[in-house]
C-alpha cells in the first residue's frame, strides 16, 4: 500500500515545506496538489518548491485537466518537473471541475482527455507530435525519454472506461471499500477488453482522514461528501438515478441535494451541506483512532486499493502525519515491505 497526502493551494509556503519534510520522514510516498488556479495559488510552483525539500516523495496535480493550459505548455511543464525532481513526477488527470467550472466553462470531453494523455506522454518521451490545436508538429529537443505516469479521475462508466484504456491508474474520490471495488473493477475491465495487461494497474482512494475525536472530525470533513455529490449529480443527470451502471449506494445519498457553490469548493462553509449525514461522512472518509484507520485501509486494500491519499486540509495536519508515521504506515510496511511507486524512466 502506498500513502499520499494532498494539499489545496492555500497552505503557506513555509508550512508546506515543513509538512512535506515531515510526511516524507513519516513514510508517505506521494504529495499531490489540487490544480485550480483561480480558487487557490498555482500548484506547480508549490510542487517545484517542495521537490527541493524532499528526496524520495513523488509529486503531481490531483487533478489537472486538458483545458487549463495549451497542450505543449502542459507537457513542457510536466516534463520539466520530472527532470527537476529526478523522475519523481506523475499527474492526476480529469475532465476539469473547479478549475474550469468556476470560470463558467465546461469540462473537457472524454475523447479530448484521452487525446491529451497520448499527446503529453509522447511529447515528454521526446517524440514528434501533431495535434488538433497546433498546425505544425511539436517536439521537445530536451526530452530524455521520461514515461509520465497518468492517473485518471473517474466516477461514471464512460470515464472509468477511459481510465482503464489510457491511464496507469485510476483516482477514486471516496474511501468506501465496496464502492471503490465496484468502480475500480470497471476501469480494469475496460483495460482488459482493450487488450492491456492490467496486473500493475494502480487504484487510488482519495479522501479526508482525521485521527482526532469523531465528533470534531465529522464537522471538519463534512465538505467531502458534498464534493463527491457534485460529481455524482453529473452522473445521475446523464444516466438516471436508477441506472445499473452506477451503484445505488453512491447515488442514493444525493436525493436531497440542492446545489453546489464552487467558490466554497472543498470547504466546510459551503452552503449546500444539509443533505450530508453522519453515516455518509463516516463511510466516505477515514476517521477514528489510528488503529481504526489501519482497519479501514486494510478493507480498502482488500477492495483493490493500491494508494490511500489523504486530503490533508481539515485541520490537525501535523498530528495526522505523525499518527500515520507512528502507527498506520508501519502496519502496512511490516506486512509487505516498501511498495515501489509507478515506474518512470529518468
Amino acid at each position: 500500500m502506498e500513502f499520499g497526502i494532498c494539499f489545496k493551494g492555500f497552505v503557506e509556503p513555509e508550512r508546506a515545506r515543513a509538512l512535506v519534510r515531515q510526511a516524507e520522514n513519516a513514510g508517505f510516498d506521494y504529495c499531490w496538489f489540487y490544480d485550480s488556479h483561480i480558487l487557490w495559488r498555482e500548484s506547480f510552483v508549490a510542487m517545484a518548491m517542495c521537490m527541493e525539500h524532499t528526496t524520495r516523495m513523488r509529486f503531481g496535480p490531483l487533478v489537472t485537466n486538458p483545458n487549463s493550459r495549451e497542450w505543449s505548455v502542459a507537457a513542457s511543464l510536466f516534463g520539466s518537473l520530472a527532470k527537476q525532481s529526478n523522475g519523481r513526477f506523475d499527474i492526476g488527470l480529469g475532465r476539469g471541475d473547479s478549475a474550469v467550472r468556476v470560470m463558467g466553462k465546461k469540462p473537457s470531453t472524454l475523447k479530448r482527455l484521452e487525446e491529451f494523455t497520448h499527446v503529453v506522454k509522447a511529447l515528454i518521451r521526446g517524440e514528434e507530435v501533431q495535434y488538433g490545436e497546433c498546425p505544425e508538429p511539436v517536439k521537445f529537443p530536451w526530452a530524455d525519454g521520461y514515461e509520465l505516469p497518468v492517473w485518471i479521475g473517474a466516477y461514471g462508466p464512460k470515464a472509468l472506461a477511459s481510465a482503464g484504456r489510457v491511464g496507469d491508474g485510476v483516482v477514486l474520490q471516496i474511501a468506501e471499500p465496496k464502492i471503490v471495488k465496484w468502480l475500480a473493477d470497471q476501469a480494469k475491465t475496460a483495460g482488459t477488453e482493450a487488450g492491456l495487461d492490467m496486473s500493475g494497474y494502480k487504484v487510488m482512494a482519495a479522501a479526508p482522514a482525521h485521527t482526532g475525536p469523531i465528533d470534531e472530525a465529522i464537522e471538519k470533513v463534512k465538505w467531502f461528501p458534498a464534493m463527491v455529490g457534485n460529481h455524482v449529480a453529473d452522473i445521475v443527470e446523464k444516466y438516471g438515478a436508477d441506472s445499473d451502471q452506477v451503484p445505488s449506494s453512491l447515488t442514493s445519498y444525493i436525493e436531497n441535494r440542492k446545489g453546489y457553490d464552487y467558490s466554497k469548493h472543498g470547504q466546510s462553509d459551503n452552503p449546500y451541506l444539509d443533505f450530508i449525514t453522519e453515516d455518509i461522512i463516516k463511510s466516505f472518509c477515514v476517521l477514528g483512532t489510528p488503529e481504526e484507520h489501519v482497519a479501514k485501509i486494510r478493507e480498502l486494500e482488500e477492495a483493490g486499493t493500491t494508494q490511500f491519499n489523504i486530503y490533508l486540509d481539515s485541520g490537525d495536519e501535523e498530528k495526522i502525519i505523525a499518527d500515520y508515521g507512528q502507527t498506520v504506515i508501519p502496519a502496512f510496511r511490516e506486512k509487505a515491505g516498501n511498495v515501489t511507486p509507478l515506474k518512470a524512466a529518468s
Side-chain angles (χ1 to χ4, degrees):
M1 176 67 72
E2 296 169 332
F3 288 87
I5 55 174
C6 186
F7 291 140
K8 294 191 185 82
F10 57 52
V11 181
E12 290 303 315
E14 183 174 348
R15 186 159 184 250
R17 293 192 290 267
L19 285 170
V20 296
R21 287 193 294 264
Q22 182 191 2
E24 184 173 76
N25 290 334
F28 283 88
D29 307 284
Y30 277 81
C31 179
W32 301 95
F33 281 79
Y34 284 55
D35 180 25
S36 194
H37 62 288
I38 291 177
L39 294 180
W40 304 295
R41 298 188 304 272
E42 174 58 54
S43 60
F44 293 96
V45 177
M47 285 181 229
M49 174 189 70
C50 291
M51 286 172 176
E52 300 302 315
H53 292 267
T54 56
T55 59
R56 179 184 57 79
M57 183 178 277
R58 300 180 69 85
F59 290 84
L62 199 79
V63 293
T64 192
N65 69 83
N67 291 352
S68 287
R69 300 167 184 84
E70 195 278 328
W71 291 8
S72 68
V73 174
S76 182
L77 177 61
F78 304 157
S80 298
L81 287 170
K83 191 171 185 66
Q84 183 171 320
S85 64
N86 194 28
R88 295 186 287 131
F89 187 77
D90 301 19
I91 68 168
L93 179 65
R95 294 172 56 224
D97 187 37
S98 61
V100 296
R101 294 194 205 238
V102 76
M103 303 170 69
K105 295 183 177 182
K106 293 184 178 180
S108 163
T109 64
L110 289 171
K111 180 180 179 182
R112 181 173 167 84
L113 178 146
E114 292 193 26
E115 183 185 1
F116 178 84
T117 303
H118 292 306
V119 167
V120 298
K121 279 194 164 197
L123 286 172
I124 292 168
R125 287 188 203 107
E127 299 173 13
E128 184 176 88
V129 181
Q130 187 166 7
Y131 56 94
E133 297 178 358
C134 189
E136 296 293 331
V138 178
K139 184 176 182 178
F140 297 156
W142 49 267
D144 59 5
Y146 186 78
E147 189 65 34
L148 178 71
V150 177
W151 305 65
I152 307 292
Y155 285 108
K158 290 184 179 180
L160 289 164
S162 291
R165 286 193 298 265
V166 303
D168 300 285
V170 63
V171 178
L172 305 174
Q173 286 184 306
I174 199 163
E176 203 295 311
K178 291 180 181 178
I179 295 177
V180 165
K181 176 172 174 49
W182 197 98
L183 297 173
D185 285 350
Q186 306 306 302
K188 292 176 183 177
T189 296
T192 299
E193 290 176 349
L196 302 175
D197 178 5
M198 303 299 284
S199 59
Y201 194 71
K202 300 286 188 174
V203 176
M204 179 197 300
H210 198 279
T211 55
I214 289 288
D215 290 346
E216 293 180 14
I218 286 173
E219 185 64 24
K220 291 178 177 180
V221 304
K222 66 182 181 181
W223 58 268
F224 179 66
M227 188 170 75
V228 173
N230 193 52
H231 296 292
V232 174
D234 286 344
I235 298 170
V236 170
E237 182 178 355
K238 186 176 183 63
Y239 297 100
D242 298 323
S243 172
D244 61 359
Q245 298 188 69
V246 183
S248 60
S249 54
L250 186 59
T251 60
S252 60
Y253 84 100
I254 67 163
E255 290 177 357
N256 296 319
R257 176 184 177 272
K258 297 176 181 178
Y260 192 76
D261 183 351
Y262 267 99
S263 69
K264 300 292 186 180
H265 184 63
Q267 299 179 41
S268 288
D269 61 349
N270 196 302
Y272 297 103
L273 301 180
D274 291 346
F275 71 101
I276 303 298
T277 66
E278 288 191 6
D279 286 344
I280 286 294
I281 295 170
K282 292 175 182 177
S283 175
F284 284 18
C285 304
V286 180
L287 309 176
T289 65
E291 291 75 19
E292 288 173 312
H293 284 235
V294 171
K296 184 158 188 180
I297 296 169
R298 287 211 190 281
E299 291 181 29
L300 288 167
E301 186 177 43
E302 291 170 2
T305 302
T306 63
Q307 181 178 152
F308 177 55
N309 177 29
I310 300 173
Y311 285 139
L312 195 69
D313 48 21
S314 300
D316 304 312
E317 288 82 7
E318 287 84 357
K319 178 182 184 301
I320 293 166
I321 291 173
D323 286 340
Y324 267 67
Q326 182 175 353
T327 303
V328 181
I329 294 175
F332 292 86
R333 299 293 153 81
E334 290 167 4
K335 171 186 174 185
N338 285 325
V339 179
T340 302
L342 284 165
K343 294 181 179 179
S346 59

